[in-house]
Amino acid sequence: MFLTTALLLCFSACISTSLGQGHGSTSSSNSTYYNPILPGFHPDPSCIFVAERGNTFFCASSSFNAFPGIPIHASKDLQNWKLIGHVLNRREQLPRLGETNRSTSGIWAPTLRFHDDTFWLVTTLVDDDRPQADFTRWDNIIFKGKDPFDQASWSNAIHFNFTGYDTEPFWDVDGKVYINGAHAWQVGPAIQQAEADLDTGKVGEWRTIWNGTGGLAPEGPHIYRKDGYYYLLAAEGGTGVEHMVTMARSKSVHGPFGSNPGNPVLTNYNTTSLFQTVGHADLFQDADGNWWGVALSTRSGPDYINYPMGRETVMTPVSWPKGKYPIWSPISGKMSGWPMPRSSKDIQGVGPFITEGDTLDFPPSSPLPAHLVHWRFPIQSSFTVSPPEKPNSLRISPSVLNLTALNGNYAGPTGQSFVGRRQQDTLFTYSVDLSFSPTAQEEEAGVSVFLTQNHHLDMGVVLLPAGAATAAFPGTKQPQNVTVGGALIPHVRFRGISYVAVPEPIVAPLPAAWAGQVLTLEVKAFNVTHYAFSVGPAGARSTMQTVIVVSNQPVSWGFTGTILGVYCTSNGGAGTTPAYFSKWRYTPQGQFTD
């Protein structure tokens, strides 16, 4: 069903049968909520409850090449989630993020934990272009901080050696600290463990503690101690539709771990559910002692074709009887679970709540909003909020590279002039006003639905020879077979790149009546499968022209999720003309949840 934003927000007032009763005064009678809890590009969730910090829940998620990276969302009620900052927020913390090659590289699968009044985050920076057996492929790192609401409190990366990924810390009752991780599965699939010093990154000998149940790529390990057992949770089956959550347990943290005869404990494989690829999970308790699970999922249905928001965070109630394995409720759009904590938006932090749209006017002396991201590190000087010559706009200087960059995978040290926000709604309208006066051939500025360097759909204003057009706007003369050449004039151009077929580029001369005007560029998801790209003079919606309606299949792929943003590039030329973007609007218009 389609849920409007207003309906999506109303679930704090809904009543439903719960799995059980809360044990304290923090719960309300509501037990109904909707998945995903973190919509859009928020994969590989790791969540904790920290009573010492005002009974607050914190969730971290993967960010791959996006910067700032490793977003942290906080909630008091498991319903209203607010972006409070990013663990990776300064270049000096992890300079190598700027060197990654391949769009599937970058930050994989963080684990967030709280111990000894300190927040710890353990993760892996992956160079996905390097061989699996090459130990330099895996840069395992530790961040620590005292206050996740203060981004400056997060440390620089502490590195440790491990030929694998999905690493997590675990503190045993005897005071010893371990790191668990997934060995490079194409070399030797195994969950491994080593004693560790988290302050220095020194690790002991790695030893295998479990090989999984035989599913592809055992990964994402988390250990929990309960009722005299060490429970080991993992993901198997790969991150596609066969993804699943499995568990094992042992009387010793070192194993041997025996597999749960009821595995998998959570999966939507071989179902017709909209929610597929369910896996890579974590477990946490609320203030009443109730257990909850989080996992990644795609709203792709079993056909696994149209899912532009990629891998998102979903939540499920979990019943964990004493001495037994936990029982996970299957993932669906509308969930009934334990009584929820009382609704509260009493959360500090720099970012918006997850269900909010954007009304950005870039006032003077303001930073870029916290939820806007770049692809790898930006050239900071290329982005100026409210420049003196055009207040209340975002000035972007062109990068030599466009969004595809060198080869669809690598961008080198020069960076790309791109900034955007995650698509978080099935239906939305995203628009910006553009003031741009290009003077050199191939100077271009516009909007993009960006998944990766090799999967994006772009519409912009570009300076091209008069004979370059392939189409025309209604009411203007249709171009003939004209040899490219002659005067340089502004055109509107749509083009895309993907591993699946994309439409041929559309190049239309800017109508003479629009010359010198500020233009509104718009992307609208009007159903679950297609975007409409439109352009027209700002403030005159009746004259907007739809350039193309295009499937979202070209940006439904991989590990991440779509980012809606703006770019400015010289497309390899020498142009230096900046673009000015203003009246940035993102309006949620509905979620598809069932």
Side-chain angles (χ1 to χ4, degrees), residues 493-504:
R493 178 167 67 187
F494 168 88
R495 59 181 179 176
I497 181 175
S498 177
Y499 289 171
V500 303
V502 296
E504 290 296 318

Side-chain angles (χ1 to χ4, degrees), residues 369-386:
H371 65 295
L372 300 191
V373 296
H374 308 274
W375 201 241
R376 303 189 188 88
F377 298 122
I379 301 171
Q380 295 289 357
S381 60
S382 295
F383 298 85
T384 304
V385 174
S386 199

Side-chain angles (χ1 to χ4, degrees), residues 154-170:
W154 288 105
S155 69
N156 290 344
I158 302 164
H159 302 263
F160 64 95
N161 292 323
F162 177 55
T163 305
Y165 59 105
D166 287 9
T167 41
E168 71 134 8
F170 178 76

Side-chain angles (χ1 to χ4, degrees), residues 3 11 21 33 37 67 141 144 156 159 184 190 199 222 250 254 269 279 332 370 429 438 471 522 536:
L3 300 175
F11 64 74
Q21 299 300 315
Y33 65 94
I37 61 165
F67 178 84
I141 48 184
K144 62 180 180 178
N156 290 344
H159 302 263
D199 290 308
H222 294 308
S250 171
H254 307 298
Y269 182 43
S332 62
T429 299
E522 179 184 277

